[in-house]
Amino acid sequence: MEAEKAGASLDSLIAGFNSRISELQELVIARNMYPASSVTDLSAVDAAVKAMELQVQAIKDRVRDETLAIPKAKKLIDASLKQQRKLKDMSVYAPTHVPERMSMLNLDTNRCLFPESSQQNTGSGTFNLDEDPAPPPPPPPKEKKGRSTPPLWFISTEELDSLSSYMRGRLTLEKVNAAINDMATYAEANYQLIAAPKKNVAGDRWEKALEIRDIAMHEAVKGKHFFLETDMKGPSLKLDNTGKAILTVLRHLGRVNETRIGHHRVIILLKPH
């Protein structure tokens, strides 16, 4: 429609120029009756006519270029609208606030995995050579090359709304997805504890590292991302009524599975179906 309006305006403009040119041609014919006195004026008229012809041609070229650009602009607008719809659909699966995973992970691993330099000095403790040496700890479970980080399988509004009001309670999409982020952080911290060599694990954490390694070798957990119930210390997922309700919802939606190994309650991260 805009191209048709531009074409009509161009036709009107060209008609005006043609009318003007006709008038100038008539003046040229009239002045040819006195060629001796009208040579200078005719040269000026000819120059003006040529300048107007160039302007008309430039206008035609510009209108043609704009007309050719209209389909491309429409395609670009359609592609932008499709991308906007995709981003809108993706935003449903992301919480409005995602805590920084690595900030908490680095704080925990730096504090718990690496002992202070004073503890690493040989003079900081004494050794009893008469005691029998303790048996070597079991090696950490072998991990596949290219092991991925714990996934963040957030839930959608539709999944939360599909739950009964009794199960959903006062839980919101933001609370549940923030808890999923915490679970990935716990699982990553456990993997770091499994993979860390003994010299980099603080003395008070070595016992837990051995327990985590034993759990990781269990058939129900092997090769999967997991964390313990005792790891639920926030900031969003805690071992309270809200945290238990979140685990119930995620277990119902197929995001987690639970098993008991020894005296530990182990939560395993699952890929949603």
Side-chain angles (χ1 to χ4, degrees), residues 46-251:
D46 184 63
V49 171
K50 290 182 178 179
M52 284 190 291
E53 290 177 348
L54 292 175
Q55 289 180 0
V56 171
Q57 187 61 41
I59 292 173
K60 288 182 178 180
D61 294 340
R62 182 55 182 254
V63 172
R64 184 179 65 255
D65 294 340
E66 295 294 337
T67 304
L68 294 175
I70 289 175
K72 297 180 181 180
K74 289 182 178 179
K75 291 182 180 180
L76 181 60
I77 292 173
D78 293 340
S80 300
L81 292 176
K82 290 180 180 179
Q83 186 67 17
Q84 183 181 10
R85 288 193 293 269
K86 289 181 180 179
L87 293 175
K88 186 176 180 180
D89 295 339
M90 292 171 61
S91 65
V92 175
Y93 295 91
T96 56
H97 173 70
V98 179
E100 187 66 28
R101 180 198 297 184
M102 294 309 298
S103 61
M104 177 183 176
L105 178 59
N106 291 338
L107 179 62
D108 181 69
T109 54
N110 289 338
R111 181 175 65 250
C112 299
L113 295 183
F114 298 95
E116 298 294 335
S117 58
S118 60
Q119 295 177 349
Q120 297 177 351
N121 296 333
T122 56
S124 59
T126 58
F127 300 93
N128 189 350
L129 300 178
D130 295 335
E131 296 180 357
D132 294 331
K142 295 182 180 180
E143 297 290 338
K144 296 182 180 179
K145 293 184 178 180
R147 178 187 181 277
S148 60
T149 58
L152 293 172
W153 287 309
F154 297 119
I155 69 169
S156 63
T157 304
E158 290 77 9
E159 288 179 303
L160 187 62
D161 293 340
S162 67
L163 302 174
S164 64
S165 58
Y166 174 79
M167 180 179 294
R168 185 171 61 249
R170 296 184 179 180
L171 297 179
T172 63
L173 185 68
E174 289 75 14
K175 286 183 179 180
V176 178
N177 283 336
I180 292 176
N181 187 82
D182 282 0
M183 291 191 301
T185 302
Y186 305 152
E188 180 66 21
N190 284 335
Y191 171 72
Q192 295 291 342
L193 193 60
I194 292 172
K198 181 178 181 180
K199 64 180 181 180
N200 291 338
V201 181
D204 57 343
R205 299 285 292 174
W206 182 241
E207 183 177 353
K208 181 178 180 180
L210 296 179
E211 290 181 341
I212 293 295
R213 293 179 180 183
D214 290 339
I215 293 173
M217 294 296 295
H218 197 275
E219 190 64 29
V221 182
K222 186 180 296 184
K224 300 177 182 178
H225 302 285
F226 70 94
F227 64 95
L228 306 182
E229 184 181 52
T230 54
D231 294 328
M232 297 167 53
K233 299 179 182 179
S236 299
L237 183 62
K238 299 179 180 179
L239 193 57
D240 53 13
N241 291 333
T242 301
K244 293 178 181 178
I246 290 174
L247 287 179
T248 300
V249 167
L250 294 178
R251 185 170 59 250

